Amino acid sequence: MAESRKVFDVQRQGDTLIVVPHGETLGSSEFGLEKEISSLHRLLSDPKVSNLVVDVGSAPYFGSMVIGTIMALCKKVCDQGGQAVLCNASQGMYDAIKTMKLDTVVPYYPTREEADRKSTRLNSSHT
């Protein structure tokens, strides 16, 4: 049986979790995707993680499953008193973010560097 393709790459930088979704969920098993999403929620439940940067620059668009997951993760972080940001969208994805008004719910930064600087400021304010 072929191995399921990962939809989300994850890194940790201080108290910030960086999530990079990779396009659509095609090629991923439903079980594998559910496992990835559960793992992301567990990582965000760690009291040492307070912020989330979602770098959406790896694909020109995302389907409803990926966008729904991103927004659920952002909500979880905000409900826990942290900050969530989106960054690095292609022009098509940026247009979708604006059309869906996601940037009114989660701040958007044009580059990963700007999002990282924002999370660094947040890290400093929590210590």
Side-chain angles (χ1 to χ4, degrees), residues 5 7-8 21-26 33 56 59-71 93 96 100 102:
R5 181 174 72 85
V7 176
F8 300 95
H22 292 286
E24 199 36 66
T25 56
L26 298 174
L33 182 58
V56 294
Y61 67 92
F62 297 100
S64 59
M65 176 70 81
V66 173
I67 290 174
T69 299
I70 290 169
M71 295 313 295
M93 187 61 206
M100 291 184 279
L102 300 180

Side-chain angles (χ1 to χ4, degrees), residues 63-101:
S64 59
M65 176 70 81
V66 173
I67 290 174
T69 299
I70 290 169
M71 295 313 295
L73 295 172
C74 290
K75 181 178 181 336
K76 180 178 185 111
V77 167
C78 293
D79 287 350
Q80 294 173 170
Q83 174 76 35
V85 300
L86 303 173
C87 69
N88 199 29
S90 66
Q91 187 59 53
M93 187 61 206
Y94 181 72
D95 292 344
I97 287 169
K98 297 298 275 181
T99 299
M100 291 184 279
K101 299 183 180 192

Side-chain angles (χ1 to χ4, degrees), residues 97-117:
I97 287 169
K98 297 298 275 181
T99 299
M100 291 184 279
K101 299 183 180 192
L102 300 180
D103 59 330
T104 65
V105 179
V106 180
Y108 173 79
Y109 294 91
T111 67
R112 171 81 172 269
E113 292 74 26
E114 289 176 80
D116 286 344
R117 279 195 300 271

